[in-house]
Amino acid sequence: MLSILYLPLLLPFQVAALMDGLSSTPPMGWNTWNKYGCNIEARLIRETADIMVSKGFLDAGYRYLNLDDCWQSNDRDYDGNIIVDRYAFPDGIKAVADYVHSKGLYFGIYSSAGYQTCAGRMASLGHEESDASNYANWSVDYLKYDNCNFRDGISGKERYKRMGDALKATGRNITFSICNWGSENPWEWADEIGHAFRTHDDIIASWESVLEILDVHAQVVQYGGPGHWADPGMVGNGALNIEESRTHFSLWAAMKAPLILGNDLTHMSDVVYDILTNRKVISVNQDSLGVPARRVVHVAGNLDIWTGPLSGGSVVVVLVNYGENERQIPFTDAIVDYYGENIQVEDLWTGKIFQMKEGMMLSSPIPSHGCTMLKLTNGTSIPYSDSLAGNASKNHYPPEIMQNDIDTSKLEDMEQTLYEAEALVNVVSGLSRRKGGCPACSSSARVIAIGKVHPLESGSLTFRNITGSGHYTLTLRYMDCLSWSVCGDYWTRRWGLRLRINDGEETYVYLRKIGDFKAVKEFSMGLYLDQDVNSITLDNPEADGPSMDSIILKKHLNSNFNTSKGAVWTTGFSSEDPLAGDHWILYAMRCIVDYMLDAAIFACGISTVGFVTYILCGYFSKWYRHVYQLVGNSDLGEYTLENVSDTNTSIA
């Protein structure tokens, strides 16, 4: 699917960021987790500090050396102070921080806005003030604050605000990184609490993970800026090839993401080192204007064009080839919103200089999964008016890219509207979060971890700003449950889902398991909305719920449906799944139908056991009669195997 967005690139998104002077440019550094996990100790941190200085990472701008999870124990002392893991850090955290500072680096630490960290160590919920005080006493400069093991009942905003306030109260400048994976829409509140906010799950060592993150981060990147950076996760992914590594780093730099490395600094190729320390690319990331590049052209699975303004009137452009073959990508001055007769174009990776001719340029050949990163100068940017932005169409893009098989269609039926689950207007709460990398979805992303997917925590999704009262058919486009891994077990046949309209009357549906967590299935039900602006909340406080791609609402102009306020009801015998409704009769029928095959297998198993038992009993009875005849007496008396042996011998 192709989408083109024309944006006023010189106008940063206005938010009320923290005005404490910290993180005026995106933080740069290194973190222990991706490479070492819980296998950390004081010696490793000192050695890493030495490497960051000796190999030039500090000179390139990487100033933070951050401890992640597992520096702490599982306990607190009698005064409530957290106890450090004495085996890994026998001299305490302050000694390590002092060594890091002696090398000219900043020192960072980790905790979670819950009762335990993600690795099960002691966390900070309920102890924010004492922990923040200890961090200040240990000369900590950076806190990554995770989102594990918090239990339901306290919002993410409240939990993160508690720690943010506690850090401020210490009087020490501590950069506060909010790591809640994009749950509860942190772009709506994190700018007043912290200096960076995560927008997605952790990045993992794969190209697919990079693409998943981009599907979501591209929607929220504009909410980042000086002092409140949108954070898609770490860089330095050790599993990528060279072209993918260059693309990863280019996009993170252009998006003004924090550049926190997670790779092995002691063993990397010279090419990867050159990528991570490229001064021209890093200068884009650290540009004083602080406006993130945004994706202005996206052809799913094919190509991207990202562009954003830089200080001094320059512009950065990143062209990405997602295809499997080498290709050239053209762009125009209108696409990148940059005009002039003598525009100079510098390739930031090769250093080559070009001239843009007649408002159009064709890139050099770009390898599969590779990119070209360009800096344009000697031009001017004229933000587009609302009227022009509203008339943007695929015809503004060069015809060389347009292909007949690109689907640019949207729902055009005025009585039928599709609402994307991952849309920013919606609220994703608890453990639920937006996740990209979904080819079967209507827009490459979905919301996962809905329901009670963790013993202590659940997740929910609220569709907001659904306009228009009346009777509707609601179509749920759902997928199998997914959280940190695929939910359920062999006996899972359905995903329960509770629906509430405007926080009013509720009902449940029990959606059939698909058996393929990459596939999308539909289920339709009746719905009555009684307000001009409505909300629909999906959750399951008792068990796993499905992941959600989207919902579709189709209005009925003439309806005899139930008109009670806020009523939600299944159609009972929907053609997609006639047994999904919330009724005891349907529950009983589900138990029969869903487990009929298992019952048949069980019955066959019982029959097989019975048949084998019958055969064995037959053989035993024959053997018994044979022995009886040999002994010659109905009373076997002292009969033993030895007797049988003697008898057989005498007969022979």
Side-chain angles (χ1 to χ4, degrees), residues 51 140 153 167 191 258 293 344 354 363 400 419 432 439 538 571:
I51 291 171
V140 168
L167 293 174
D191 54 282
Q344 180 175 287
F354 308 92
S363 73
E400 292 87 342
Y419 296 87
S432 291
L538 310 179
T571 52

Side-chain angles (χ1 to χ4, degrees), residues 466-541:
I466 297 177
T467 57
S469 60
H471 301 276
Y472 293 85
T473 293
L474 168 65
T475 299
L476 303 169
R477 288 178 49 83
Y478 73 95
M479 307 176 72
D480 281 343
C481 179
L482 178 68
S483 184
W484 303 115
S485 59
V486 179
C487 311
D489 54 30
Y490 173 79
W491 298 105
T492 303
R493 296 293 183 271
R494 292 178 181 267
W495 311 113
L497 190 65
R498 181 174 68 171
L499 298 94
R500 288 176 291 160
I501 302 301
N502 301 323
D503 293 324
E505 185 176 340
E506 66 183 42
T507 192
Y508 280 80
V509 290
Y510 299 89
L511 304 173
R512 186 183 293 121
K513 181 179 178 180
I514 303 171
D516 178 1
F517 73 94
K518 295 182 179 181
V520 176
K521 193 175 181 64
E522 294 186 351
F523 174 77
S524 300
M525 58 191 297
L527 173 68
Y528 176 72
L529 302 177
D530 68 338
Q531 299 181 19
D532 292 333
V533 181
N534 303 272
S535 66
I536 300 177
T537 299
L538 310 179
D539 63 7
N540 185 350

Side-chain angles (χ1 to χ4, degrees), residues 35-267:
K35 170 58 181 175
Y36 297 102
C38 277
N39 299 314
I40 57 174
E41 58 179 352
R43 178 185 56 82
L44 170 66
I45 305 308
R46 294 190 181 97
E47 291 177 352
T48 302
D50 295 340
I51 291 171
M52 290 182 69
V53 175
S54 64
K55 289 194 172 183
F57 287 99
L58 175 59
D59 288 341
Y62 296 96
R63 301 187 62 84
Y64 288 97
L65 198 169
N66 297 338
L67 276 181
D68 209 280
D69 208 343
C70 300
W71 61 265
Q72 60 280 81
S73 69
N74 297 315
D75 298 305
R76 294 181 178 272
D77 63 21
Y78 289 112
D79 296 324
N81 296 306
I82 195 165
I83 298 175
V84 176
D85 185 335
R86 295 189 180 95
Y87 296 99
F89 300 93
D91 298 322
I93 297 298
K94 182 67 165 64
V96 176
D98 288 345
Y99 187 87
V100 171
H101 289 145
S102 73
K103 297 296 180 178
L105 297 162
Y106 293 134
F107 178 73
I109 210 165
Y110 165 98
S111 189
S112 178
Y115 298 100
Q116 290 181 317
T117 67
C118 297
R121 304 293 181 96
M122 184 60 64
S124 297
L125 186 59
H127 297 272
E128 292 86 358
E129 292 183 2
S130 63
D131 285 0
S133 178
N134 281 325
Y135 301 155
N137 293 336
W138 296 339
S139 301
V140 168
D141 306 298
Y142 185 106
L143 173 63
K144 174 185 172 183
Y145 206 44
D146 221 325
N147 194 39
C148 288
N149 298 310
F150 54 83
R151 300 180 186 170
D152 290 333
I154 308 175
S155 71
K157 180 179 180 180
E158 174 61 26
R159 289 182 286 114
Y160 282 94
K161 186 177 185 301
R162 289 182 186 180
M163 179 54 81
D165 290 343
L167 293 174
K168 294 174 191 174
T170 67
R172 181 174 178 81
N173 290 332
I174 300 177
T175 298
F176 187 29
S177 176
I178 294 172
C179 181
N180 75 329
W181 326 310
S183 180
E184 300 190 29
N185 295 19
W187 42 87
E188 295 181 1
W189 48 265
D191 54 282
E192 300 176 355
I193 297 173
H195 304 96
F197 57 91
R198 279 279 295 279
T199 62
H200 198 273
D201 274 353
D202 290 354
I203 192 168
I204 60 175
S206 72
W207 175 244
E208 289 72 23
S209 180
V210 173
L211 301 184
E212 286 181 2
I213 290 172
L214 289 173
D215 285 337
V216 174
H217 193 76
Q219 301 181 56
V220 301
V221 65
Q222 70 272 18
Y223 290 89
H228 59 282
W229 305 103
D231 181 5
M234 286 184 261
V235 290
N237 190 326
L240 305 183
N241 64 37
I242 297 303
E243 296 301 332
E244 292 167 348
S245 296
R246 188 176 288 113
T247 300
H248 183 196
F249 195 69
S250 298
L251 287 173
W252 262 235
M255 295 187 303
K256 305 298 187 295
L259 297 181
I260 306 297
L261 304 178
N263 60 319
D264 185 354
L265 299 185
T266 62
H267 298 91

Side-chain angles (χ1 to χ4, degrees), residues 535-607:
S535 66
I536 300 177
T537 299
L538 310 179
D539 63 7
N540 185 350
E542 301 173 354
D544 296 337
S547 298
M548 290 300 302
D549 167 33
S550 58
I551 61 174
I552 300 174
L553 286 174
K554 184 174 182 180
K555 191 169 185 178
H556 298 276
L557 300 180
N558 298 305
S559 176
N560 295 319
F561 287 128
N562 182 351
T563 60
S564 62
K565 180 179 179 180
V568 182
W569 65 97
T570 66
T571 52
F573 293 96
S574 167
S575 59
E576 296 102 339
D577 187 353
L579 303 181
D582 187 19
H583 193 282
W584 71 267
I585 295 178
L586 296 178
Y587 174 81
M589 294 178 66
R590 284 196 297 270
C591 291
I592 296 172
V593 173
D594 290 350
Y595 295 96
M596 184 179 297
L597 178 60
D598 297 283
I601 294 174
F602 179 76
C604 289
I606 293 297
S607 300

